[in-house]
Amino acid sequence: MNTWDVVVIGAGQAGSAAAWDLAAGGRRVLMLSRVAGAGKPCAGGVTVKTLNRYRFSIDPVIRETVDTLHVSRYPGPEGQLKSTQRFCVMTERSELDRFCLKQAQRQGAEFQLTKGVAAIRQNGSGVEVHTKEGETIRATYLVAADGANSRVRHLLGESSLKGAMAIEGHIDRADLKAYPGMTLDFQAIKGGYGWLFPKGDHINVGLYIWKHGLAAPDRKALDQYCLDRLGVKPHHVSGFPLGTWLPKVRLKHGRILFVGDAVGATETLLGEGIYGAVLSGQLAAQALLSDQPESYLTLLSGWREELTKVAQLSSLFYGLLPMSIPMLKGALGGTLVEGFSRGYTLGECKRRWRGSVRLA
Ligand SMILES: Cc1cc2nc3c(=O)[nH]c(=O)nc-3n(C[C@H](O)[C@H](O)[C@H](O)COP(=O)(O)OP(=O)(O)OC[C@H]3O[C@@H](n4cnc5c(N)ncnc54)[C@H](O)[C@@H]3O)c2cc1C
């Protein structure tokens, strides 16, 4: 019989973070995923607060270290927010995910590929996962880390919530006249921004909108942004929703805990989801290691409250861009960028408004 303490569905950032902690805590863990890694679009920008949460160094997969953020109210003039220390590193998401999966396996988690999950059943003592291959896997608990379109959530009869959306592509460095720094061009799309993330041999480019209901970014819009901005069209273009609904969603269903984009742990202002994925994965593991799955609700409540405040800020920020961008380019921006990178709450940012990051 295929029986485990915990089965984790999904081997992205949330799944690997949960599996690492559970395996390190002595639990028998099976990670089940459609691919070895996320296999979905992601620009791979990782903030310092996320680096501080990892249980291991991700140095082997860092492609660039960033200490200057270029911002504009596109197509207006650009400002530079310079940090005294690094505030972000650039990774290739598939490399990062494979690396984190390997770390979880080193801790003792097992990994198995599946074509998908056909059914899930649970009772008072455990959970059964029926895979599309016809296998039945039993576990005491299940961690659903299967992303914004969570199949587990659908199988439990819950419909998808709609939130932020992004599309990305690659441009080879050899095709660029100049290699840009990390850039956010606000207003390149209504209710969002265009980005340029340097990755060594190429740049990752994309468009982000912060909430459902705005015109979704599509290939035509991304092509146009890249042509206007860089004179080249991107390749490897793909889009995906981001899980930004944590304030409204169910975190737990009996013995099943949702983490990462499957619980909507991504913040709305910039769409940073890797931090929420790692954080929620680790908190779910903490709850299961103490055999108190219900404590997950309390453990995640602080992040839930923070995301509610960030959603209010996003509404103001994107609604009032002509005012927001000058403020972002000023001293407040420095504090916000540093706070965003290091994980200060909005309340802490207010208190720390002292300009340790300055506009160059
Ligand atoms: C274009 C784009 C750019 C982004 N850029 C950034 C960025 O630069 N920085 C940042 O912090 N965030 C970024 N995000 C957000 C970030 O990618 C997500 O928040 C993050 O991937 C969430 O991680 P996760 O582990 O919860 O889910 P995912 O990364 O979606 O992983 C889900 C896992 O579940 C597996 N899976 C899915 N369905 C099934 C199934 N039925 N059966 C088995 N396995 C399944 C998948 O194969 C995968 O392993 C971006 C998002 C997009 C769309």
Side-chain angles (χ1 to χ4, degrees):
M1 196 192 296
N2 200 347
T3 304
W4 302 83
D5 293 326
V6 185
V7 61
V8 177
I9 300 186
Q13 289 294 292
S16 288
W20 197 101
D21 280 14
L22 286 162
R27 297 301 186 270
R28 292 187 62 247
V29 183
L30 176 68
M31 297 176 77
L32 260 187
S33 187
R34 282 202 301 227
V35 291
K40 63 166 275 282
C42 178
V46 180
T47 51
V48 171
K49 62 181 180 287
T50 319
L51 296 175
N52 291 340
R53 281 219 81 92
Y54 285 125
R55 308 300 189 202
F56 41 82
S57 159
I58 64 157
D59 281 357
V61 290
I62 293 177
R63 288 182 161 230
E64 296 269 349
T65 298
V66 176
D67 64 6
T68 304
L69 177 65
H70 303 253
V71 290
S72 79
R73 186 172 152 226
Y74 189 76
E78 198 179 276
Q80 290 178 21
L81 293 167
K82 252 190 179 315
S83 173
T84 47
Q85 302 163 45
R86 67 177 176 178
F87 65 81
C88 187
V89 297
M90 292 291 157
T91 67
E92 259 302 291
R93 182 58 196 271
S94 53
E95 291 172 5
L96 175 68
D97 281 348
R98 278 196 298 272
F99 181 79
C100 293
L101 169 59
K102 199 168 268 174
Q103 304 309 310
Q105 287 176 293
R106 279 199 185 140
Q107 282 304 310
E110 296 280 333
F111 174 72
Q112 186 179 316
L113 283 171
T114 177
K115 287 193 185 117
V117 178
I120 288 183
R121 299 204 176 85
Q122 57 175 327
N123 58 32
S125 60
V127 186
E128 264 183 22
V129 178
H130 300 267
T131 68
K132 288 193 175 162
E133 291 84 356
E135 191 180 358
T136 300
I137 296 162
R138 292 184 179 82
T140 311
Y141 297 111
L142 186 152
V143 173
D146 54 347
N149 291 330
S150 172
R151 169 83 174 144
V152 176
R153 202 173 270 291
H154 292 168
L155 287 171
L156 294 171
E158 293 188 24
S159 52
S160 295
L161 291 174
K162 295 193 173 12
M165 173 85 204
I167 188 167
E168 68 165 20
H170 290 191
I171 297 177
D172 298 334
R173 188 169 183 165
D175 294 334
L176 292 166
K177 284 193 195 91
Y179 183 58
M182 181 181 180
T183 305
L184 302 181
D185 285 328
F186 293 98
Q187 207 179 254
I189 185 164
K190 190 169 187 296
Y193 63 87
W195 76 76
L196 313 175
F197 282 8
K199 299 291 179 82
D201 58 353
H202 70 277
I203 62 165
N204 181 291
V205 290
L207 291 172
Y208 169 82
I209 53 155
W210 83 274
K211 64 169 186 178
H212 178 67
L214 296 160
D218 59 12
R219 169 138 210 174
K220 202 171 151 209
L222 183 61
D223 280 352
Q224 198 56 56
Y225 168 61
C226 293
L227 279 173
D228 294 345
R229 187 75 169 77
L230 306 158
V232 200
K233 279 190 191 179
H235 56 85
H236 284 88
V237 173
S238 54
F240 209 73
L242 291 89
T244 49
W245 46 82
L246 176 56
K248 301 173 215 135
V249 86
R250 208 167 155 174
L251 314 190
K252 175 181 166 296
H253 199 297
R255 293 179 164 271
I256 300 170
L257 306 189
F258 292 93
V259 297
D261 270 12
V263 79
T266 293
E267 61 81 26
T268 44
L269 188 65
L270 299 181
E272 183 197 15
I274 295 176
Y275 176 74
V278 173
L279 172 73
S280 57
Q282 292 176 348
L283 295 180
Q286 188 180 332
L288 296 185
L289 285 169
S290 62
D291 227 1
Q292 292 181 324
E294 63 288 348
S295 68
Y296 181 52
L297 277 56
T298 315
L299 290 169
L300 203 56
S301 61
W303 187 234
R304 193 175 213 176
E305 278 165 30
E306 186 62 13
L307 291 193
T308 307
K309 289 186 200 147
V310 173
Q312 288 160 358
L313 175 70
S314 307
S315 179
L316 277 174
F317 182 87
Y318 288 109
L320 299 169
L321 267 188
M323 275 149 62
S324 312
I325 297 301
M327 280 173 79
L328 187 66
K329 285 179 176 177
L332 175 63
T335 308
L336 276 177
V337 169
E338 192 190 55
F340 184 79
S341 165
R342 296 187 179 275
Y344 306 149
T345 61
L346 286 175
E348 281 166 339
C349 281
K350 247 193 216 165
R351 287 192 290 277
R352 284 171 183 264
W353 187 353
R354 56 177 162 69
S356 58
V357 183
R358 295 211 178 276
L359 183 68

